[in-house]
Amino acid sequence: MPFIAAVIGYVTKRVAIEMMYRPVEFVGVKGTFIGWQGVIPRNAHRMASVAMELLTTNLIRPQEIFARLDPSKVAEELSEPLRRAVEDVTRELMAEYQPQLWEMLPAQAQQRLIKQVQADAPRVVEKLMREIAGNIEEVLDVRDMAVRNLVRDKALLNRLIRDVAQPEMRFIAHSGIYFGFIIGLVQLGAWALTHSPWIMPIFGGLTGWLTDWLALKMIFFPREPKKFLFFTWQGMFQRRRMEVAHDYGDLIAREVLTVQNVLEAVLTGPKSDRLFALVQREVQRAIDTQVSLVKPLVVLTVGSRRYQEMKKVAAKRAIELLPTTVKHVEDYASNALDVRNTIIKQMQQLTPIQYEGLLRPAFRQDEWKLIAVGAVIGFLVGELQVLLLLH
């Protein structure tokens, strides 16, 4: 009986753990409660929102992070791709809006015009970077960016919790063996006294329920080291703060707050219109500066409306080229932002309750379901024990 109880304890823990993560998508009869989806994927938006609220409130301050980017260094890193992009855009615009004039210009004159625009491009980029870095929250919602990525990629959300909490998951599974064995000894005594067939399923259910409950509590509590009789205990997750900080910082920097994800959020997020307005303003200003001496002639030959349209098209083309152009600055930006080390440092300063919030939301709302499943499995295994004894 103690050994079977130990097996019940382990199996119920493994099932509870897997039910947290799997399946990633709902499996069952759609539109009903018949079926299952992993607790974390099913509550992806809530889980991601809680985790990212902690991240953006206590670990990452967007303005401080993005202030680390040196605008002149960014412009320098982008100099070569900017030169190519500027040449392409200039040729396209002139061919569309001033085809005859462009064809009449000697190749040397065309190249001189292109070089003038190329020389001005880094200054425009540097000015834009200074304005964006100083008002990053005007163009980027970091929390919305992170939540959108985690909800879209539920497997990533699973990894964010599973990778950080691997030792805790192992402890939950192994604790089922020890707790189950102890309860099994009590079950053996109760069986010897009563020989009641109900002892097996009742203790099976109790083993599944109690061992799940105890293991979950021991992960988080007590928050500070506390002495119990002959030993001292602190919640495992609290005890591993330094290790968790490194793992969490690595994962966030590598898969969540990446340069690519930030750029996508800036271009498609809820505040993207403000970036477009900034780019459009600076590009149009640059065009006006370049043609300042001959602007009356240009406006006369293409028309005032066409001139304004040309500036808007140039701005739109610049925004379209951003994703491919910015790839050239990814390495510098990743090192300069230093998201990983920032998170590690800030996590050491969290209170125990704030730190607990990294993992606790994954369990809190639906942990009763996991405990109930453990109890049901334990009860059924107990019934099987009765059948085996009777036969």
Side-chain angles (χ1 to χ4, degrees), residues 70 84 103 110 153 177 211 230 236 275 280 283 294 328 335 342 371 378 380:
D70 182 351
R84 294 195 298 269
E103 289 173 6
Q110 291 180 357
D153 187 354
I177 298 174
T211 55
F230 307 109
M236 282 191 65
L275 174 73
Q280 184 169 322
V283 170
V294 292
H328 296 268
N335 291 329
T342 301
I371 293 171
L380 293 175

Side-chain angles (χ1 to χ4, degrees), residues 146-363:
V147 170
R148 281 204 299 165
N149 281 314
L150 291 172
V151 170
R152 179 175 57 194
D153 187 354
K154 295 182 179 67
L156 172 58
L157 179 60
N158 272 345
R159 289 202 305 278
L160 183 64
I161 296 172
R162 191 166 204 160
D163 289 2
V164 167
Q166 272 189 346
E168 282 73 25
M169 297 300 108
R170 281 197 300 270
F171 170 76
I172 288 175
H174 293 160
S175 69
I177 298 174
Y178 311 126
F179 294 152
F181 188 85
I182 293 169
I183 294 173
L185 292 174
V186 179
Q187 178 187 12
L188 179 61
W191 170 261
L193 292 172
T194 65
H195 289 280
S196 170
W198 284 103
I199 289 295
M200 305 297 187
I202 288 174
F203 269 84
L206 180 64
T207 300
W209 173 79
L210 187 58
T211 55
D212 277 2
W213 181 82
L214 275 172
L216 288 171
K217 294 302 176 187
M218 290 179 71
I219 287 177
F220 300 106
F221 302 104
R223 295 187 178 106
E224 301 290 348
K226 189 173 181 180
K227 193 166 184 178
F228 297 91
L229 297 177
F230 307 109
F231 67 95
T232 300
W233 182 261
Q234 181 185 16
M236 282 191 65
F237 193 61
Q238 296 286 354
R239 197 167 65 238
R240 287 196 320 113
R241 179 182 290 225
M242 284 301 300
E243 183 183 341
V244 170
H246 282 80
D247 291 344
Y248 194 76
D250 277 338
L251 202 148
I252 293 292
R254 191 176 64 249
E255 301 200 51
V256 180
L257 290 183
T258 64
V259 174
Q260 187 175 349
N261 286 347
V262 167
L263 178 61
E264 181 187 345
V266 166
L267 294 177
T268 64
K271 299 183 178 181
S272 58
D273 288 349
R274 298 177 188 179
L275 174 73
F276 297 158
L278 279 176
V279 172
Q280 184 169 322
R281 186 190 70 203
E282 289 304 318
V283 170
Q284 291 181 351
R285 187 179 292 171
I287 292 173
D288 285 337
T289 301
Q290 289 296 324
V291 300
S292 57
L293 295 177
V294 292
K295 184 175 180 180
L297 178 61
V298 173
V299 172
L300 181 65
T301 55
V302 301
S304 178
R305 182 178 296 178
R306 290 275 286 171
Y307 178 68
Q308 295 301 324
E309 184 182 332
M310 181 180 74
K311 292 197 293 183
K312 288 180 181 178
V313 170
K316 182 181 178 184
R317 189 78 178 96
I319 291 168
E320 290 172 351
L321 290 171
L322 270 177
T324 52
T325 306
V326 170
K327 283 183 180 178
H328 296 268
V329 80
E330 277 191 26
D331 288 342
Y332 163 72
S334 296
N335 291 329
L337 295 177
D338 198 18
V339 171
R340 176 185 177 274
N341 289 323
T342 301
I343 289 176
I344 292 172
K345 181 181 177 182
Q346 291 300 115
M347 280 185 68
Q348 295 173 34
Q349 299 175 24
L350 295 178
T351 67
I353 293 177
Q354 287 174 330
Y355 169 71
E356 183 183 303
L358 286 175
L359 188 61
R360 185 66 171 155
F363 295 92

